[in-house]
Amino acid sequence: MDTNTILFYVIILIGIVAYGYFLIYRPRKKQTEQRNKQMEAQKRGDEIITVGGIYGTIDIIEENSVVIKLESGGTMRIARMAIAGKVSDILPPGQSR
C-alpha cells in the first residue's frame, strides 16, 4: 500500500468518528443534560404527565420516586424517570387535557 491509500483510509476513519460524535453522541448528551435539569426543577404542586399518559400533581418528591395526586383524589407512586414533563411544557397553549 502506498502513502496515498493509507492517508485516504485515515481520513475516512476520522470522518466516521466525527459523524458519530456530531450526529449521535453530542445530541444524546444534550438531551440527557436537559432531562437532568428537568428532574432537578420538579417541585411540589407541579402538574405533570407521565410517559404512560397519566396526569397528576406532584405531592411528595423522594430521591428516585414521586407521589402524585390524581384527579380522582387517589395517589400513585411513580419513578422520577417516568415523568414526561410538566403539562404546561408538553401541551400546546390553549389545549386542555
Side-chain angles (χ1 to χ4, degrees):
M1 289 173 68
D2 64 345
T3 307
N4 289 336
T5 306
I6 294 173
L7 183 61
F8 174 75
Y9 284 125
V10 168
I11 290 172
I12 294 293
L13 181 62
I14 290 171
I16 291 171
V17 170
Y19 173 83
Y21 177 76
F22 286 109
L23 295 176
I24 298 170
Y25 176 74
R26 192 168 174 221
R28 180 70 174 188
K29 184 178 177 183
K30 284 185 178 182
Q31 184 180 27
T32 302
E33 288 174 357
Q34 182 180 9
R35 179 82 171 138
N36 289 339
K37 285 180 187 177
Q38 177 187 357
M39 285 182 55
E40 292 298 321
Q42 294 170 354
K43 61 185 183 301
R44 190 171 193 265
D46 286 348
E47 290 189 8
I48 54 117
I49 302 175
T50 67
V51 292
I54 299 171
Y55 289 82
T57 304
I58 295 177
D59 188 33
I60 300 170
I61 299 177
E62 296 178 359
E63 186 176 342
N64 295 319
S65 65
V66 174
V67 176
I68 60 172
K69 286 185 182 177
L70 306 174
E71 286 184 9
S72 63
T75 60
M76 178 183 292
R77 179 178 303 277
I78 60 170
R80 287 185 79 172
M81 293 300 293
I83 297 174
K86 291 182 183 181
V87 172
S88 60
D89 294 341
I90 293 178
L91 294 180
Q95 183 179 350
S96 64
R97 51 185 173 144

